[in-house]
């Protein structure tokens, strides 16, 4: 039935065109943002999950930064304590050489040992990273190094794990230069023939002190090496975990650009056809009105 009051064909064409325009707007939004779910109104459940996972990933990124800082501190201390162990080994060699040597040779050896002692002090002092020195007690209450290693969330319950480096295992020297693992080896007169006669018994006592220090230095280096290995492993794990979370979030909210591009082309064609259909419907209405004018 033809009617001059209601153009049913035009209304149908207009509804179809509006639907096409809405779908086209959605597709263009997905292409421009890259997201299938950009806001909560797109999909409240997926948006909520993605938002929580992104927040957790930011926390994991902060943990990776903390591990990087901790790795720098541990690496610096490990390098220094290994070098100090080599220097104490050198003192051991000098002491063995001094046993039974002449007074003149012992004096020369004492000079060499003094140079090594100074180098040990320098190594301890320079083993600082970001204001932290794991080998030197600065005179305050010694505290263990706590490195944030993970962020764990279950619902609203959060826990943080740490990697601990105990100060008692790594402090080579105190601020006074008399305490710590090598404090006794750096004491004035540890091996100084000019201060007192040196006997083979005295050298044997000094060698015993050196062996004790070497054992503790080896233990300290082992602890630092273990901490370094754990930090490296955790950094690698968190990097992979972060990538997995990104992939999971992407699967929920990212737009398939190939699919959306194809859909965009189809909708653009539908839009053009819809405009033509609406134009035809309006043209038919004009034809009816023309009959009355004639």
């Amino acid at each position: 039935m033809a009617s001059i009051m209601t153009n049913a064909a035009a209304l149908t064409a207009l509804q179809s065109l509006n639907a096409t325009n809405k779908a086209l707007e959605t597709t263009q939004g997905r292409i421009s943002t890259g997201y299938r779910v950009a806001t909560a109104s797109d999909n409240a459940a997926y948006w909520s999950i993605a938002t929580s996972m992104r927040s957790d990933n930011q926390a994991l990124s902060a943990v990776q930064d903390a591990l990087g800082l901790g790795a720098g501190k541990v690496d610096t201390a490990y390098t220094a304590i290994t070098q100090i162990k080599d220097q104490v080994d050198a003192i051991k060699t000098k002491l063995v050489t001094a046993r039974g040597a002449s007074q003149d040779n012992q004096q020369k050896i004492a000079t060499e040992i003094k140079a090594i002692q100074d180098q040990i002090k320098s190594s301890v002092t320079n083993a600082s990273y970001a204001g932290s020195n794991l080998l030197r007690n600065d005179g305050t209450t010694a505290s263990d190094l706590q490195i944030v290693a993970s962020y764990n969330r279950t619902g609203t319950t959060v826990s943080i794990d740490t990697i601990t480096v105990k100060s008692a295992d790594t402090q080579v020297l105190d601020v006074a230069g008399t305490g710590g693992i090598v404090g006794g080896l750096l004491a004035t007169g540890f091996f100084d023939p000019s201060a007192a006669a040196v006997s083979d018994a005295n050298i044997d006592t000094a060698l015993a002190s050196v062996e004790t220090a070497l054992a503790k230095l080896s233990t300290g280096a082992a602890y630092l090496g273990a901490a370094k290995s754990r930090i490296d492993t955790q950094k690698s794990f968190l990097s992979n975990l972060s990538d997995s979370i990104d992939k999971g979030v992407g699967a929920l909210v990212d737009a398939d650009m190939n699919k959306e591009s194809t859909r965009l082309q189809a909708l653009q064609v539908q839009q053009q056809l819809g405009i033509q259909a609406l134009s035809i419907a309006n043209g038919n209405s004009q034809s009816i009105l023309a009959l009355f004018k004639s």
Side-chain angles (χ1 to χ4, degrees):
M1 179 184 72
S3 172
I4 62 173
M5 302 300 296
T6 304
N7 190 337
L11 291 176
T12 300
L14 182 59
Q15 290 175 355
S16 177
L17 181 60
N18 286 338
T20 300
N21 287 339
K22 185 176 181 180
L24 185 60
E25 181 181 349
T26 299
T27 299
Q28 288 174 331
R30 291 177 177 177
I31 290 175
S32 62
T33 64
Y35 291 117
R36 177 170 59 94
V37 180
T39 64
S41 61
D42 295 327
N43 187 314
Y46 282 3
W47 180 86
S48 178
I49 293 171
T51 299
S52 297
M53 295 309 293
R54 288 189 183 114
S55 177
D56 288 347
N57 230 6
Q58 290 177 353
L60 290 180
S61 178
V63 172
Q64 291 182 70
D65 291 341
L67 283 169
L69 181 60
K73 294 178 180 180
V74 172
D75 285 347
T76 299
Y78 178 79
T79 299
I81 201 172
T82 302
Q83 183 181 18
I84 291 167
K85 180 182 176 299
D86 292 341
Q87 291 160 354
V88 174
D89 273 329
I91 291 178
K92 175 180 175 180
T93 301
K94 299 298 180 184
L95 288 173
V96 172
T97 303
R99 200 176 192 280
S102 66
Q103 181 71 22
D104 183 58
N105 285 337
Q106 287 180 346
Q107 188 65 52
K108 293 177 182 178
I109 292 170
T111 301
E112 294 174 338
I113 290 178
K114 178 61 170 60
I116 297 173
Q117 290 172 319
D118 291 339
Q119 182 56 47
I120 290 175
K121 292 179 183 178
S122 177
S123 296
V124 173
T125 301
N126 292 328
S128 180
Y129 184 92
S132 179
N133 192 327
L134 302 183
L135 304 187
R136 187 170 183 263
N137 186 334
D138 60 4
T140 61
T141 302
S143 58
D144 299 339
L145 174 64
Q146 302 282 345
I147 304 171
V148 176
S150 69
Y151 176 87
N152 310 302
R153 179 182 64 83
T154 303
T156 58
T157 303
V158 174
S159 63
I160 294 178
D161 295 331
T162 60
I163 297 174
T164 302
V165 179
K166 295 183 178 180
S167 59
D169 297 325
T170 62
Q171 288 187 350
V172 176
L173 197 62
D174 64 8
V175 69
T178 57
I181 296 175
V182 301
L185 304 185
L186 305 185
T188 302
F190 168 72
F191 178 73
D192 187 0
S194 64
V198 176
S199 65
D200 288 344
N202 290 338
I203 291 178
D204 290 343
T205 300
L207 284 170
S209 298
V210 166
E211 291 296 346
T212 300
L214 284 173
K216 291 182 178 180
L217 288 170
S218 295
T219 300
Y223 282 126
L224 289 170
K228 180 178 182 297
S229 177
R230 185 180 173 191
I231 289 172
D232 291 342
T233 300
Q234 187 68 2
K235 285 173 62 179
S236 177
F237 167 71
L238 290 181
S239 178
N240 292 334
L241 178 60
S242 181
D243 289 344
S244 296
I245 291 175
D246 283 339
K247 291 177 183 177
V249 171
L252 290 177
V253 302
D254 286 358
D256 184 337
M257 301 306 288
N258 290 329
K259 178 179 178 181
E260 298 301 335
S261 178
T262 302
R263 181 173 175 80
L264 176 65
Q265 294 178 9
L267 287 171
Q268 287 173 336
V269 172
Q270 290 180 31
Q271 183 186 49
Q272 294 172 359
L273 292 175
I275 293 173
Q276 292 179 4
L278 181 60
S279 177
I280 291 172
N282 287 331
N284 289 338
S285 177
Q286 294 296 325
S287 298
I288 294 175
L289 290 175
L291 291 175
F292 288 98
K293 289 180 180 180
S294 59

